[in-house]
Amino acid sequence: MTPRPGRSTFQLKFFFAAISAAVLALAVAGVLFATSMRRQMDQRIEATLVVEARLAADLLAAATTQTTVPALDAEADRIGELIGARVTLIAPDGTVVGDSFETLDDVAAMENHGRRPEVLEAGAHGVGRSRRFSDTIKLDMLYVAVPVRHPAVGFVRVALPLTDVRHQLQTVLTATLTALGLALLGGAAIAWVFSTRIGQRVRLIAGIAERYQRGDLTPPHLGFGDDELGTVARALDASVQEVGRRLDEQARDRTRMEAILSGMVEGVIVVDAQGRLQLVNDAARQMLKLDDPAIGRPYVETIRLPAIVELVAAVLSGRTPEALQFSPPRDPARTIIARAAPSSGAAAYGLILVLHDITDLRRADQIRRDFVANVSHELRTPLTAIRGYVEALSEGDATADESQTFLEIIARHTQRMERLVKDLLRLARLDAGQETLDLAACETRGLADAVVADLAPEAAARRQRLEVAVAAPADLVRGDPAKLHDALRNLVANAITYAPEGTVIRIGAALEDGRVALSVADEGPGIPEEDLSRVFERFYRVDKSRARDPGGTGLGLAIVKHLVELHGGTVRAENRAEGGARFVVTLPLA
Ligand code: ADP
C-alpha cells in the first residue's frame, strides 16, 4: 500500500510545477516588459528634450537683440526655468555664452564646448545627442543640442540629469514588479486550489484502488469526473468490476463443482498432463483409504495401485483404455471399477479418473444368484422324490400298502413345494412393497392367544405346552394384526419344530426401552452364536445337512424380519442362559 506522504507528494508536485511555470512566465514577461519600457521611456525623454531644445532655439531666435553674455545667460536662465532643464547657449565658435545652471562668472570660466559630441553632431545633422558625465555639474547627463539662428549663439543645448530619467524608470519598474508579485500570489493561490482539488481526486481514486486491492469491490458512491482522469479511472473501474464479476462467477462455479464432487458417490481423481495430482474427492479418499493426498505432487506419491498407474499411463500416452477392476490392498473385500478419460477431450489438459465401488452391486448379484440356486435346489429335492414315487407307482409292482405310502410321500412333498412357492410369493410381494400396513392398536394377549389356538394341534402332537405371559404396560401394541399374527405364528411354529417333545414354549410381552417386546422362548437346542444374526437370511439353516428335515422352507424368519421391519420394529435371536432359543420382536407402543 502506498504510504500517506506519497499521496501529498502528487499534490505538491502538481502545485510546484504550476507555480514554477507561473514564475518563469512572469519573470520572462517582466524582463521583456521592463526592457521595452526602459527603451520607450528613454526614447520619449530624448524626444521631449529634442522638442524642448528646438523650443528653446525658437525662443532665442526671437530675442536677437540679446547678444551680450550677461543678457544671454539671463535668457538661458529664463528658458531653463520655462522648460525645467539645464539650458546652455554656445556661440558658433564653441564658447559658452549662457548656462541656466551656472553663474555669469562660472560661464566665463567654462571651457570651449565646440568639440562636445552633441554640438559636433548638431552642426553636422541638425540634432545632436549624448549621454555622459558632466564635469561642470558632476552628474551623468543626457544632452541634446540643436543649431540656432542667432547673431551671437550657434547652438542651444538642453540637458537633463540621468538620475531623473532613472528615477522615472525606477518608478515604472517598481510598479511593474509589484504587479508581477501580486500576479504571482494570485497564480499561487489558483495553483494551490487546483492542485488541492486534483490531489483530492487522485487520492479518492487511489483510495478506491487500494480498497479494490483488499478485495472489497463495492462500487464508489461518487463519480470520477468528466475529464481525462475521470475517463481513465472509469475505464479502470469498469475493468476491475468486470474482473471481480468473473472471479465471483469462477468462485461460484468452483463451489458448485466442489459441492457436486463431494456429494458424489463415485470417486473422482484429477491428474494434470504432467502427472501431478490436482483433485481427489471425498468418495475417492474413502475408497482408496487416502488420508492425506499430496495435491500438486506426482500422483504416484499418493496412489501406487497398478490398475490406476496403468490407466493414467494409457490416457497420457493418447490411448483410450478399458475400465479396470481392482480391490484396494488395504480393503481387499471391496471391488472398485475405474475408468479414465482425458479432460476436455485431450490428454494435454490432464485426465479424470472415475471410481465406482461395485462391492454392493456384486454382493446383490451374488445374493440373487445364490437365491436362484437355493430355490432350484429346494424345488429339485421334492420334485426328484415325487418323480421317483410316481415312476414306482406307474410300474404297478407296488402293493396296495406301498402305493398308499408312496401317495402320502408324494402328497407331503407337494405340500412342501406349495409352502415354498407360497413363502416365495409372499417375500416377492414384501420386496416389491405390495403389502401395505393396516395399523391399529392390537391387544397383545389376544394376538398371542390366537396364535396358541392356531398351533394347539401341532403342539399337542409333540406334547408341548404353550404358555402366555403379558406384562400390564405391554398389553397394547400398534401394528397390523394379521401381519403380526403371521410373524408370531412363524416364531412359535419354529419353536414347536425345533424344541424337543414335552417341553414348554413361552410367549411373553414386556416393555423394553419404551417399546413392546414380544418374545418366544423354547427349551430346544438353541442356535450357535455365529449363526444368531444369519438365521434371518433367506434359506439359511443352522443344520445344513438337511438330513434331519423338519419340513421348513428356510424362508420363515426372513418373512418375519420383513414384516417386523415394515412396522418399524426389530427382531433378534438369542440363546437363553438356561438353554433354548429366544426370539424377540420389538414394536412401537400403541
Ligand atoms: P425353516 O423353515 O427352516 O424353519 P426359518 O427361516 O424359519 O426356516 O428358520 C431358519 C433356521 O433357523 C432354521 O432352519 C433353524 O436352523 C433355525 N431356527 C429357527 N428357529 C429356531 C429355534 N426355535 N430353535 C433352534 N433353531 C431355530
Side-chain angles (χ1 to χ4, degrees):
M1 211 159 52
T2 326
R4 217 175 158 69
R7 292 176 174 176
S8 56
T9 311
F10 176 82
Q11 184 178 336
L12 283 179
K13 273 183 192 161
F14 188 85
F15 173 69
F16 282 124
I19 212 74
S20 307
V23 167
L24 199 67
L26 288 176
V28 170
V31 168
L32 286 177
F33 180 76
T35 321
S36 109
M37 202 61 199
R38 187 190 179 119
R39 199 181 311 123
Q40 275 186 22
M41 279 190 71
D42 267 11
Q43 284 171 353
R44 196 168 315 133
I45 289 166
E46 226 175 87
T48 313
L49 272 186
V50 170
V51 168
E52 285 173 356
R54 287 198 174 125
L55 202 65
D58 265 17
L59 282 171
L60 201 61
T64 44
T65 48
Q66 318 281 359
T67 51
T68 62
V69 171
L72 286 172
D73 188 47
E75 187 66 17
D77 289 351
R78 194 179 67 85
I79 300 172
E81 197 129 316
L82 272 174
I83 60 174
R86 178 187 172 194
V87 176
T88 310
L89 307 179
I90 302 157
D93 64 351
T95 317
V96 177
V97 287
D99 193 303
S100 62
F101 271 33
E102 303 296 327
T103 61
L104 196 60
D105 293 342
D106 291 339
V107 169
M110 281 172 75
E111 62 184 56
N112 188 294
H113 274 37
R115 308 291 315 155
R116 291 286 197 272
E118 66 276 10
V119 176
L120 288 174
E121 202 188 332
H125 302 297
V127 181
R129 299 172 185 83
S130 174
R131 281 165 195 259
R132 76 191 127 74
F133 186 73
S134 159
D135 282 337
T136 321
I137 53 168
K138 308 288 182 224
L139 278 174
D140 268 332
M141 300 289 282
L142 171 62
Y143 297 98
V144 172
V146 292
V148 61
R149 231 174 278 139
H150 190 277
V153 185
F155 300 94
V156 174
R157 190 186 75 172
V158 182
L160 201 66
L162 276 177
T163 42
D164 280 8
V165 175
R166 283 187 191 133
H167 180 71
Q168 285 183 34
L169 251 176
Q170 197 57 50
T171 313
V172 172
L173 278 181
T174 309
T176 311
L177 277 178
T178 311
L180 287 183
L182 288 175
L184 196 62
L185 278 179
I190 293 172
W192 181 253
V193 169
F194 271 97
S195 66
T196 307
R197 202 176 292 168
I198 205 158
Q200 275 171 350
R201 289 183 57 211
V202 169
R203 273 202 295 282
L204 179 88
I205 293 169
I208 293 169
E210 276 172 19
R211 191 157 59 68
Y212 283 176
Q213 199 180 8
R214 286 197 303 273
D216 176 4
L217 296 188
T218 327
H221 310 299
L222 299 170
F224 291 112
D226 296 328
D227 55 8
E228 289 85 344
L229 193 63
T231 310
V232 170
R234 255 194 309 282
L236 289 178
D237 182 58
S239 323
V240 169
Q241 295 292 348
E242 181 58 31
V243 169
R245 252 195 306 281
R246 290 195 190 158
L247 284 177
D248 263 8
E249 254 170 46
Q250 273 182 9
R252 261 202 308 279
D253 284 354
R254 201 178 169 78
T255 317
R256 198 179 308 139
M257 196 185 80
E258 277 168 4
I260 292 171
L261 282 175
S262 62
M264 273 172 77
V265 193
E266 290 84 7
V268 177
I269 296 172
V270 179
V271 174
D272 71 9
Q274 282 71 44
R276 285 184 301 247
L277 200 59
Q278 296 294 304
L279 184 146
V280 181
N281 76 344
D282 293 348
R285 280 171 208 230
Q286 277 164 17
M287 279 184 205
L288 304 182
K289 303 255 180 296
L290 304 174
D291 305 325
D292 189 17
I295 302 293
R297 307 279 312 152
Y299 79 96
V300 277
E301 286 181 16
T302 303
I303 310 164
R304 292 186 197 83
L305 293 165
I308 302 243
V309 173
E310 194 181 310
L311 280 174
V312 173
V315 174
L316 289 184
S317 63
R319 283 180 282 130
T320 314
E322 296 283 318
L324 283 182
Q325 262 188 37
F326 64 93
S327 292
R330 286 160 76 182
D331 200 358
R334 307 205 74 80
T335 308
I336 289 166
I337 188 159
R339 288 186 182 80
S343 308
S344 312
Y349 299 105
L351 62 109
I352 297 175
L353 278 161
V354 180
L355 311 177
H356 293 264
D357 187 337
I358 55 162
T359 315
D360 292 343
L361 215 68
R362 292 191 106 199
R363 193 176 292 150
D365 198 42
Q366 189 58 44
I367 289 171
R368 190 184 51 78
R369 267 182 279 163
D370 289 352
F371 183 75
V372 172
N374 276 322
V375 171
S376 320
H377 187 86
E378 293 291 331
L379 286 173
R380 203 177 57 209
T381 315
L383 277 175
T384 314
I386 290 168
R387 202 185 68 191
Y389 289 109
V390 168
E391 277 173 5
L393 281 175
S394 59
E395 279 166 11
D397 299 341
T399 62
D401 281 353
E402 279 174 342
S403 297
Q404 185 56 35
T405 314
F406 291 173
L407 282 173
E408 280 168 11
I409 294 173
I410 290 170
R412 208 171 61 236
H413 281 296
T414 312
Q415 276 166 11
R416 181 187 162 97
M417 281 204 306
E418 203 184 329
R419 271 204 311 277
L420 183 68
V421 171
K422 216 174 89 201
D423 281 357
L424 280 173
L425 283 174
R426 177 134 214 214
L427 264 180
R429 270 205 313 278
L430 284 167
D431 277 342
Q434 286 167 347
E435 291 215 13
T436 48
L437 284 180
D438 207 354
L439 289 174
C442 316
E443 274 188 27
T444 321
R445 175 162 288 278
L447 214 62
D449 286 348
V451 172
V452 169
D454 235 11
L455 292 172
E458 282 87 342
R462 290 179 59 78
R463 290 183 292 105
Q464 289 161 331
R465 203 167 74 240
L466 298 173
E467 287 182 2
V468 176
V470 174
D475 53 1
L476 278 180
V477 68
R478 187 161 177 74
D480 182 326
K483 292 189 176 65
L484 289 184
H485 176 90
D486 288 352
L488 198 60
R489 187 184 190 283
N490 236 307
L491 294 176
V492 177
N494 271 354
I496 293 172
T497 309
Y498 296 106
E501 293 193 2
T503 52
V504 181
I505 295 161
R506 294 180 179 83
I507 303 165
L511 267 197
E512 188 185 287
D513 297 333
R515 294 164 77 90
V516 174
L518 295 178
S519 61
V520 177
D522 63 45
E523 293 168 357
I527 298 162
E529 288 298 316
E530 65 273 17
D531 293 325
L532 279 176
S533 62
R534 301 202 62 189
V535 289
F536 297 100
E537 289 174 16
R538 294 166 193 198
F539 297 114
Y540 193 85
R541 287 191 181 90
V542 173
D543 182 1
K544 293 173 186 66
S545 67
R546 294 172 217 259
R548 196 173 61 88
D549 183 5
T553 60
L555 295 172
L557 288 180
I559 292 171
V560 169
K561 188 172 157 72
H562 237 308
L563 289 173
V564 170
E565 284 176 355
L566 203 61
H567 283 81
T570 62
V571 59
R572 65 178 192 268
E574 55 195 36
N575 285 313
R576 297 165 66 224
E578 55 272 45
R582 173 166 51 217
F583 287 82
V584 184
V585 171
T586 69
L587 293 164
L589 268 170

